[in-house]
Structure formats: structure tokens, C-alpha cells
């Protein structure tokens, strides 16, 4: 009997007929925990309770304007952390032939795990056409402390924003452009599909910038630009849609910004 | 003055990049340009970070591994970006010997000339482009040639029948260190201009 009590203290209370204060007693080697439907939320700080189809953890503190994080998931490693290590959450429901069926996952992944240089990103994984979960969106940032990108909208109907399958940078906002007037270039030349001479930036960029290029014609002859070849030091634009023999004194308004 | 540089036409400050060019272009004959021996260092592509709060040992290791470098101000460092194929987009330096180039005009049509520095299997070569009526007449570039970031001599038009380069204005690349006087990095994240 003594051995049985030491090995199984709950044998003293079978079945439970009143609330049990474990007083810091740890429960280990549990198989499965079932919550009955109390149809009510937790009654106090630090409690977990089922109400209908929701399991609620309640953590109460005295904050007024800060964000609480009542739930922490910690997944460390016995190995040596390296780039691509991460922590995530898998969400499952049910489909016609899968139960459980993976519906989505959120992964936080490090591209840099160096001391004091950690960089992480958020990956959103979705399924397409019955295939397994796959990363479809990734959010990352190199911004300094205290700066966030705020995405907001004021649509009055459903809107779909489709991104084209090309490389590039979405340029938003306005920037002050410095207008520099220079002498004519390519004197005697015509555009007519020719590359205009290369433009050098006043100051080299540390990475390839995004460039917008707007042609301006003083004699109302329409033309456009395409094929902007760019580098960190300058760019070359290809003029299009110009009639042969157009004079070379047209203008090209350009703007470059480091994303 | 035939050989010159101007803002947006060859004159560029290196800013926070290792960009440098000691190759000097000179007219040494009526229709001859000489590119004097020198080096060209590309900018590479990098992300600039503050040193504040960074682990010195980690940064030193990255520098030793060729993945980063310190900036001259001692307060920031650059971390080289990588291309999709994993190539580290670090700065490169190319060296050329002195080369004399003879230009030829067309008796009836203008000729468009440009002189670029190209890399062929890692070695620097001078590439002359000569376009008449929209067609390249200087021959195809060697296999594997890739342009090294920017022209040395910017495209200019040689009038039909020209026999002397002196009357022309030919823009060449001139690199100055740092930033324009009185300015710093934040003044140049956005740049614009009007080209005529």
C-alpha cells in the first residue's frame, strides 16, 4: 500500500469529488487531457478553460497600453543553430479526404543567427491545388529600431492587387528630385530606337536603385522609354516610338531611389 | 575641351561604395584616344549597417570571410548582398595596361562610338563599340564578355567625314571619393535629373 501511494498519489483521491490544489505539484507523463465544456470563460488569472468549441487561456496583469503575450512557444535545439533555423505553427482542419488536413503554417525563420546580428523573417505557407504546404509569402525587414511598414487601406469594395511575375521594386510615396540641367548630348543624333547615352548618378548607390524614366518632348512628338539598364553607378534608357530624324534636344526626366 | 566629365555624364562620387577609377583618357592624336594604364574598382552591392550594438567578433569574422567590409567613417560596415545563385556581389578591381585606340569616321554617315571596360573570364579588356546606321561595326564582343558596370568613354557621335576629335566634347568616367561637399549618405538615397 505504501508503495502504491508513493507511485500513484491520486489513488488517495478516487474519484475526485472536490477541487484539488496541487500546490506546485508537477504532472508528468500525461497521455491525453480532456476538457469538458464549462460553457464559460476562465474565472481568474492563469486559468485554462473550455467554453463550447474554444479553449481559453486567461492571463491577467495590470498593464494599460502595452501588448501582452500570454502564450510563448519555445523550441530550442541540442545542435548548433545555423541559418534557416526557425519556429512555427501548423494549423489543420479537414478536407474531403484528409483529416487532419494541413491548411496553413506560420514560420519564423532566421537568415542570420550570429550573436547580435540575428535577422528573422515571417513565412506564410499555403496549399495550392492539393500540393503540400509551401511558402507563398515572406515578410522581412532591414529597418532600424522603431520603424515599421504600416499596410492600410480604405477600400469600399473587395479589391485584388495582382503582382506581375517580374523582378523589381514597388515604388511608393514621393521623393524630392534634384533637377540637374546639363548640356546637350549626342548632338546630331536621333533617338528612333537608339539607346540614349548613359547617365551617371551624381553619387554611386550601394545597391541597384529603382529608376523611373519619363520622356518629355517639347515639340509634342510622343515617345517613350523602355529597357532601362541600370547599375549602382548609372543607367541607359532605350527610346521608342520616335520618328526618324527627330532632333536630339528632347528631355529625359529620371528619378532613382534606393529601396 | 574634348575630354571632360560632368554631373550625370561621367562625374560621380563614390559615396559609401569602394568605387574608384584611375584610368585616364587622353586625346593623343587627331583621331586617337589613349587609355592610360590604371585600375577600376566596382561598387559591388551591399547593405550598410551601423556598428552600434553589433558583435565585433562576428563582424570581424565576416570581414575575414570576405562577406563584409568596414566603412571609412569607422561607424558603419557593409555586408555584401548575394545574388539568387548565391554569388556574393562584392566589389571587384580590374587592371588594364595603356591602350591606344584609333577612331575612324564614315565619309557619309555619323558614327556612334563608346568605349567600355568588360570582363572576360575575370580579366579586364577594353571594348570599343562603333555603330553606323544602327549596326555594330566593331565586331562581336569576345565570348563570355560582361560589361564592368559603366562606360569609360560615354557614347558620342563622330560626324561624317570627321578627321579630328578636338572639336567634339567627349565625356569620360571620373570618380571622386566620398560625397559632394556638405552632404552625406542620407542626402543621396534619392537622386533625379533632367537629361537633354
Amino acid at each position: 500500500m505504501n508503495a502504491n501511494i508513493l507511485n500513484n498519489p491520486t489513488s488517495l483521491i478516487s474519484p475526485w469529488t472536490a477541487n484539488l490544489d496541487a500546490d506546485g505539484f508537477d504532472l508528468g507523463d500525461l497521455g491525453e487531457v480532456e476538457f469538458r465544456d464549462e460553457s464559460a470563460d476562465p474565472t481568474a488569472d492563469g486559468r485554462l478553460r473550455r467554453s463550447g468549441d474554444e479553449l481559453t487561456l486567461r492571463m491577467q496583469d495590470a498593464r494599460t497600453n502595452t501588448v501582452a503575450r500570454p502564450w510563448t512557444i519555445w523550441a530550442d535545439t541540442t545542435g548548433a543553430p545555423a541559418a534557416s533555423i526557425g519556429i512555427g505553427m501548423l494549423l489543420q482542419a479537414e478536407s474531403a479526404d484528409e483529416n487532419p488536413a494541413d491548411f496553413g503554417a506560420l514560420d519564423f525563420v532566421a537568415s542570420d543567427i550570429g550573436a547580435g546580428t540575428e535577422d528573422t523573417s515571417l513565412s506564410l505557407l499555403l496549399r495550392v491545388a492539393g500540393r503540400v504546404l509551401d511558402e507563398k509569402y515572406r515578410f522581412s525587414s532591414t529597418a532600424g529600431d522603431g520603424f515599421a511598414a504600416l499596410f492600410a487601406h480604405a477600400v469600399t469594395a473587395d479589391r485584388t492587387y495582382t503582382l506581375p511575375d517580374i523582378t523589381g521594386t514597388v515604388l511608393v510615396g514621393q521623393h524630392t528630385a534634384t533637377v540637374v540641367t546639363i548640356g546637350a548630348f549626342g548632338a546630331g543624333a536621333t533617338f528612333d530606337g537608339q539607346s540614349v547615352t548613359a547617365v551617371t548618378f551624381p553619387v554611386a548607390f550601394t545597391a541597384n536603385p529603382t529608376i523611373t524614366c519619363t520622356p518629355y518632348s517639347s515639340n509634342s512628338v510622343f515617345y517613350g522609354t523602355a529597357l532601362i539598364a541600370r547599375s549602382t553607378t548609372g543607367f541607359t534608357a532605350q527610346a521608342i516610338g520616335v520618328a526618324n530624324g527627330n532632333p536630339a534636344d528632347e528631355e529625359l526626366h529620371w528619378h532613382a531611389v534606393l529601396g | 575641351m574634348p575630354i571632360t566629365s560632368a554631373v550625370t555624364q561621367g562625374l560621380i562620387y563614390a559615396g559609401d561604395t569602394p568605387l574608384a577609377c584611375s584610368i585616364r583618357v587622353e586625346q593623343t592624336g587627331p583621331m586617337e584616344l589613349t587609355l592610360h594604364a590604371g585600375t577600376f574598382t566596382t561598387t559591388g552591392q551591399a547593405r550598410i549597417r551601423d556598428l552600434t550594438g553589433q558583435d565585433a567578433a562576428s563582424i570581424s569574422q565576416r570581414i575575414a570571410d570576405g562577406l563584409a567590409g568596414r566603412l571609412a567613417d569607422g561607424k558603419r560596415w557593409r555586408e555584401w548582398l548575394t545574388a539568387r545563385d548565391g554569388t556574393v556581389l562584392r566589389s571587384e578591381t580590374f587592371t588594364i595596361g595603356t591602350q591606344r585606340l584609333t577612331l575612324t569616321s564614315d565619309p557619309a554617315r555619323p558614327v556612334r562610338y563608346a568605349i567600355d571596360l568588360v570582363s572576360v573570364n575575370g580579366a579586364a579588356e577594353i571594348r570599343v563599340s562603333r555603330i553606323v546606321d544602327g549596326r555594330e561595326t566593331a565586331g562581336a564582343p569576345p565570348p563570355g564578355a560582361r560589361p564592368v558596370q559603366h562606360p569609360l568613354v560615354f557614347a558620342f557621335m563622330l560626324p561624317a567625314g570627321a578627321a579630328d576629335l578636338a572639336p567634339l566634347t567627349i565625356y569620360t568616367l571620373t570618380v571622386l571619393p566620398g560625397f559632394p561637399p556638405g552632404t552625406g549618405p542620407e542626402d543621396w538615397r534619392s537622386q533625379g535629373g533632367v537629361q537633354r
Side-chain angles (χ1 to χ4, degrees):
Chain A
M1 184 184 76
N2 286 342
N4 186 49
I5 292 172
L6 287 173
N7 292 336
N8 185 15
T10 58
S11 66
L12 292 173
I13 312 168
S14 181
W16 288 351
T17 59
N19 293 337
L20 177 65
D21 184 349
D23 198 24
F25 189 83
D26 293 338
L27 284 178
D29 203 23
L30 290 175
E32 184 172 356
V33 176
E34 177 189 6
F35 286 83
R36 75 174 185 178
D37 182 2
E38 288 286 290
S39 297
D41 287 331
T43 59
D45 175 33
R47 298 202 170 201
L48 190 63
R49 198 178 201 187
R50 176 183 173 185
S51 174
D53 293 329
E54 292 180 1
L55 187 63
T56 302
L57 168 67
R58 177 178 179 179
M59 302 298 286
Q60 185 182 69
D61 58 24
R63 74 189 185 283
T64 56
N65 61 352
T66 56
V67 176
R69 294 175 182 155
W71 191 267
T72 297
I73 302 174
W74 176 9
D76 57 347
T77 176
T78 57
S84 297
I85 194 171
I87 169 73
M89 178 177 292
L90 175 65
L91 298 168
Q92 297 176 317
E94 181 179 354
S95 70
D97 65 329
E98 299 173 15
N99 190 16
D102 292 346
F103 270 34
L106 288 171
D107 287 346
F108 292 89
V109 182
S111 57
D112 182 348
I113 52 90
T117 61
E118 293 90 340
D119 290 323
T120 63
S121 61
L122 167 62
S123 293
L124 175 61
L125 290 81
L126 302 171
R127 295 181 70 176
V128 175
R131 295 191 287 271
V132 298
L133 282 173
D134 185 40
E135 184 184 37
K136 298 304 179 190
Y137 297 93
R138 184 182 302 181
F139 301 94
S140 62
S141 174
T142 59
D145 290 345
F147 298 110
L150 307 179
F151 297 99
H153 71 78
V155 299
T156 57
D158 287 347
R159 305 295 181 198
T160 300
Y161 299 94
T162 303
L163 300 176
D165 184 20
I166 58 172
T167 58
T169 302
V170 177
L171 185 64
V172 297
Q174 292 185 327
H175 303 272
T176 302
T178 302
V179 176
V180 177
T181 302
I182 60 165
F185 66 96
T190 60
F191 286 173
D192 188 29
Q194 300 289 326
S195 294
V196 300
T197 192
V199 173
T200 317
F201 299 131
V203 178
F205 286 96
T206 55
N208 285 349
T210 299
I211 298 173
T212 55
C213 219
T214 305
Y216 173 77
S217 172
S218 61
N219 58 7
S220 301
V221 173
F222 171 78
Y223 68 103
T225 57
L227 191 64
I228 299 175
R230 61 176 169 79
S231 69
T232 54
T233 53
F235 72 93
T236 305
Q238 181 96 16
I240 59 173
V242 177
N244 215 351
N246 215 47
D249 59 349
E250 304 298 339
E251 289 183 1
L252 197 68
H253 293 226
W254 61 272
H255 187 233
V257 61
L258 187 63
Chain B
M1 182 178 183
I3 309 295
T4 187
S5 299
V7 175
T8 75
Q9 288 190 291
L11 182 64
I12 181 170
Y13 282 83
D16 278 336
T17 75
L19 181 69
C21 182
S22 64
I23 301 169
R24 188 171 58 86
V25 180
E26 180 186 11
Q27 182 182 359
T28 51
M31 293 293 285
E32 181 182 88
L33 290 177
T34 294
L35 275 66
H36 293 279
T39 60
F40 181 92
T41 300
T42 66
T43 60
Q45 293 196 52
R47 180 170 53 193
I48 308 298
R49 297 185 181 215
D50 291 327
L51 279 171
T52 304
Q54 300 290 321
D55 177 61
S58 173
I59 295 172
S60 295
Q61 184 61 50
R62 286 167 181 259
I63 294 173
D65 292 341
L67 301 176
R70 293 183 188 275
L71 266 62
D73 63 8
K75 300 176 183 177
R76 296 173 297 151
W77 62 295
R78 66 165 64 90
E79 185 171 31
W80 299 117
L81 302 179
T82 55
R84 286 188 173 182
D85 63 359
T87 303
V88 178
L89 301 173
R90 60 172 65 87
S91 170
E92 300 177 84
T93 297
F94 300 87
T95 303
I96 66 162
T98 298
Q99 297 191 33
R100 284 192 167 82
L101 305 173
T102 299
L103 280 60
T104 54
S105 61
D106 186 277
R109 295 162 295 182
V111 176
R112 182 181 183 273
Y113 266 101
I115 301 174
D116 295 310
L117 185 67
V118 299
S119 169
V120 182
N121 298 320
E125 291 187 9
I126 296 299
R127 165 69 184 162
V128 178
S129 171
R130 184 178 183 275
I131 295 177
V132 181
D133 276 348
R135 290 192 179 86
E136 177 61 66
T137 63
R146 62 175 179 86
V148 178
Q149 196 160 3
H150 221 273
L152 292 176
V153 177
F154 292 75
F156 65 93
M157 300 302 296
L158 201 58
D164 193 348
L165 300 174
L168 304 178
T169 298
I170 300 173
Y171 292 99
T172 61
L173 183 67
T174 298
V175 181
L176 301 177
F179 295 88
T183 69
E186 291 307 311
D187 299 310
W188 298 98
R189 289 182 62 84
S190 170
Q191 303 180 36
V194 176
Q195 201 83 359
R196 295 193 181 91

